[in-house]
Amino acid sequence: MNDESLKICQGRITKKELGELYFQMLRIRLFEERIVDLYPEQEMKCPVHLCIGQEAIAAGVCIHLKKEDYVFSNHRGHGHCLAKGSDMKPLFAEFYGKITGCSRGKGGSMHLIDIPNGILGTSAIVGGGIPMGVGAALASNLKGENRVTVIFFGDGAFEEGAFYESFNFAALKKLPVVFVCENNFYATNSRQEARQAVCKISGTAAAFDAHGICIDGNDVLEVYRAAGDAVAKARSGRGPSLIEAKTYRWKGHVGPEEDWTKGCRPEDELREWKEKCPVKRFKEALSSGNIMDKAEMDGMEAKIKAELDEAVDFAKKSPYPDTIELLKDVYVEA
Amino acid sequence: MPWTKIYSNRAEFDKALKDNPDLRGIAYKDALREATAQLLSSDPSVFVIGEGVDDAGGVFGTTKGLQEEFGAKRVMDSPLSENGITGIAVGAAAAGMKPILVHMRVDFLPLSIDQIMNHAAKWRYMFGGSVSVPIVIRSIIGRGWGSAAQHSQSLQAMFMNIPGLKVIMPATPFDAKGMLISAVKDGNPVVMIEHRWLYEHVGYVPKEMYTVPLGKAIVRRTGADATIVAISHMVHESIQAAEALEAEGINCEVIDLRTLKPLDTETIAESVEKTGRLIVADTGWKDAGVGAEVIARVAEAGLLLKAPAVRVNLPEAPTPASPVLEKAYYPGKNEIIEAVRKVSSYGKAQA
Ligand SMILES: Cc1ncc(C[n+]2csc(CCOP(=O)(O)OP(=O)(O)O)c2C)c(N)n1
Ligand SMILES: [Mg+2]
């Protein structure tokens, strides 16, 4: 990102929105970093898939959404929930397995939910959320609501048959869906080229006569523009779009550690991507463009840290579920 | 036989090894790796395919280094396309190959169920026996650390219901190796379900290639008072329960089913005829599960029990994530002990 890209955007983005984008990205970054700090205590007894390095996508997309719009996510879903407006408290409580968690301690970090903010639950089966997202969009169509559904999924999920089946249906019915593929080039430790014949995910949209675009997912303004177009298109009944946002996850597939030490990925690659840090790039652009000064940014950081302190405290102090919960919620009770 | 014995911990095994230096001990995961390596080198039609089979971890060590050793044509990573890849492996099998397809979790098998149930299981029969599908589908049961509902299921019962499939769940390193080799040589589609908690178990494993017959259960411990029929990880819990119960003067026979389909009714019936008391310890859910089938077989054999049979299963709910709920969720040694006490005291207290 540079001043140029900031200028291009300024015609259509307000200063308030720029501040909001920075705030959300920073909020996601600090949230994930807090998990990194606390995880070694071994009190969060569930697998955590962190999205450090990928924050710009959730922030740049969700800023276009209304509270009632739907978001479907995956195992790496903390950032999506936060950007959609989720409170940190029930998320942390869920990681700690507490009754005050968003899923009452039943789901853990891979199964987050926030119905008032349009998140109907998160699947840890790769690709599982894609058809469900299309289904939610179908429901809003059938009910005559004007909701948009955004489906976040990875480059790995793009290989599941469910993606093609769902995309076809969404295109066929001109459903208000935005498919957002967060292409971080890896599925677990397997590289995209080892799994895909043509590494051009966005190109698939053309086969369904839908709109596809490939963007720098670490440039929040590029995400902002592409998502703005796609959401507007969906909202006006012109069908689905596919956004492929290229990015990189800094931590290992699961857990708080970097994985190059285990031989999963080259260290150079990680170092290069850290140079392209989405938060740092945007922060620099905002300062050099005189959009925000240091005091404002520091203020945001302090505010987020206070929110985090409160959330962690809440989670740690909350009670565990009673074991009576074990057999509850399997069925709707009469 | 030394390898039919179950060692509950490493120290116990090391001691046994010292007493018998001719025998060689390796972990369950290494036994699987060794079997796979030997299959790959002895039969050019064998190949391994699955998500991450080539990665540094090598599916918990079970495929570690195999790609370096045998090349990317024999050991191939796969896209995240479970149904398609399963079908591709089924097609390759119909065309003369012997694929070993690896799924990191049993929970991903439902994505492939069409190819397993509608295709692999039926292909031979549907065409009057003119073609067969020699495929082995390996998959792993996860447990603990908040694995939760989609990463910890035990779905063996689903596969037991389908004619044309074989279902195996080896509980020891010796069986893991011998049964994987048998499964690949079997000629039929075989679903193999491994429990992740077994991977570090150490036991006797001969270096050379050998087979353990499919369809044969094994008595792991003899006893006259009650029969515990167990599978997979629950075999180990049952042995521990049986050891604890000995102090109370209750002698349990522990049967490790090893193969769930076809089920070895004979071994079960022989034991139950002797003990008259039956407990089934399963890693999965109760309804229409392993226990249901075992008890039905005993009933069909006309054996009369001295006490109602008891099943030890997961509660009727998906797996919760919270550590307190997870702890309450899984039955183990203690629940088996309770079950044995219940069948042993039946009729006595009331009298
Ligand atoms: C159907 C299915 N297959 C395999 C897995 C195991 N798994 C969990 S996440 C993952 C990688 C997903 O990669 P991608 O979609 O690119 O998302 P990322 O982790 O990179 O965000 C895999 C293979 C799973 N959970 N579900
Ligand atoms: Mg990825």
Side-chain angles (χ1 to χ4, degrees), chain B:
Chain B
M1 293 295 221
W3 41 80
T4 59
K5 183 164 164 54
I6 302 258
Y7 297 93
S8 29
N9 60 56
R10 179 91 211 200
E12 198 189 317
F13 176 73
D14 286 344
K15 190 181 161 295
L17 201 62
K18 228 181 257 153
D19 298 341
N20 203 342
D22 295 343
L23 295 164
R24 161 179 178 266
I26 62 174
Y28 190 103
K29 64 177 198 298
D30 300 321
L32 287 172
R33 191 203 172 278
E34 186 168 274
T36 310
Q38 290 173 343
L39 285 159
L40 283 163
S41 32
S42 61
D43 184 346
S45 59
V46 173
F47 72 100
V48 177
I49 184 166
E51 292 163 23
V53 292
D54 63 341
D55 98 17
V59 192
F60 307 111
T62 64
T63 60
K64 199 176 175 137
L66 290 176
Q67 192 182 63
E68 287 78 66
E69 205 174 326
F70 295 95
K73 275 189 146 176
R74 309 283 312 279
V75 180
M76 60 181 106
D77 186 20
S78 119
L80 275 63
S81 312
E82 289 78 7
N83 192 37
I85 297 297
T86 304
I88 287 162
V90 169
M97 300 299 286
K98 292 187 192 126
I100 302 175
L101 170 64
V102 186
H103 285 284
M104 291 284 273
R105 301 280 167 163
V106 184
D107 312 69
F108 311 152
L109 283 179
L111 279 82
S112 329
I113 219 111
D114 166 60
Q115 284 296 334
I116 300 173
M117 291 186 173
N118 290 331
H119 297 85
K122 297 173 172 57
W123 215 247
R124 180 172 175 80
Y125 185 84
M126 227 158 44
F127 303 105
S130 52
V131 56
S132 62
V133 178
I135 181 178
V136 176
I137 301 168
R138 285 183 50 206
S139 64
I140 300 158
I141 301 171
R143 174 170 167 181
W145 201 255
S147 297
Q150 296 179 331
H151 280 72
S152 59
Q153 293 173 90
S154 255
L155 300 174
Q156 57 274 12
M158 276 175 49
F159 300 101
M160 286 172 71
N161 196 235
I162 307 297
L165 293 182
K166 294 191 177 182
V167 184
I168 60 175
M169 291 181 81
T172 65
F174 181 83
D175 282 353
K177 179 172 174 183
M179 291 179 82
L180 177 56
I181 293 170
S182 287
V184 169
K185 293 178 183 291
D186 189 74
N188 291 293
V190 179
V191 175
M192 172 158 167
I193 302 178
E194 303 149 24
H195 196 290
R196 194 174 158 184
W197 281 22
L198 295 174
Y199 280 159
E200 297 304 326
H201 272 270
V202 179
Y204 290 115
V205 177
K207 201 170 173 52
E208 65 277 8
M209 257 180 125
Y210 60 89
T211 56
V212 169
L214 305 190
K216 283 299 294 169
I218 184 168
V219 177
R220 294 286 180 197
R221 190 182 196 281
T222 52
D225 301 329
T227 300
I228 308 172
V229 175
I231 60 163
S232 188
H233 172 66
M234 292 304 264
V235 172
H236 299 261
E237 298 285 337
S238 300
I239 296 282
Q240 287 173 34
E243 278 163 8
L245 285 158
E246 214 172 70
E248 298 175 21
I250 304 174
N251 287 312
C252 295
E253 184 140 305
V254 177
I255 296 177
D256 173 0
L257 277 184
R258 307 196 289 188
T259 300
L260 310 193
K261 190 181 186 75
L263 194 66
D264 180 1
T265 310
E266 205 177 306
T267 301
I268 301 166
E270 212 169 278
S271 174
V272 173
E273 197 157 17
K274 176 174 71 177
T275 63
R277 295 184 180 88
L278 175 62
I279 292 98
V280 188
D282 185 6
T283 57
W285 289 298
K286 188 177 264 184
D287 289 12
V290 175
E293 186 57 32
V294 168
I295 293 166
R297 297 289 177 107
V298 167
E300 283 173 344
L303 299 175
L304 294 180
L305 297 176
K306 296 174 191 160
V310 177
R311 286 181 275 175
V312 177
N313 288 90
L314 298 177
E316 186 66 8
T319 317
S322 176
V324 286
L325 296 182
E326 201 179 55
K327 188 158 175 282
Y329 186 70
Y330 286 105
K333 176 185 155 186
N334 291 337
E335 285 71 17
I336 298 167
I337 292 175
E338 274 317 304
V340 173
R341 284 189 188 136
K342 192 171 165 193
V343 298
S344 301
S345 63
Y346 182 78
K348 289 177 192 159
Q350 289 97 320

Side-chain angles (χ1 to χ4, degrees), chain A residues 74-110:
Chain A
N74 58 8
H75 56 287
R76 201 174 303 289
H78 306 167
H80 307 139
C81 294
L82 291 172
K84 190 63 186 26
S86 290
D87 183 355
M88 289 183 179
K89 286 198 207 92
L91 298 183
F92 261 106
E94 190 58 36
F95 306 161
Y96 279 90
K98 301 300 179 72
I99 188 72
T100 51
C102 60
S103 306
R104 298 172 65 82
K106 292 227 168 99
S109 148
M110 295 191 288

Side-chain angles (χ1 to χ4, degrees), chain A residues 155-156 184 186-187:
Chain A
D155 49 299
N184 59 15
Y186 285 88

Side-chain angles (χ1 to χ4, degrees), chain A residues 54 76 154-156 182-188 195 249:
Chain A
Q54 308 187 174
R76 201 174 303 289
D155 49 299
E182 295 176 304
N183 182 2
N184 59 15
F185 304 102
Y186 285 88
T188 318
R195 300 176 283 115
R249 87 173 131 71

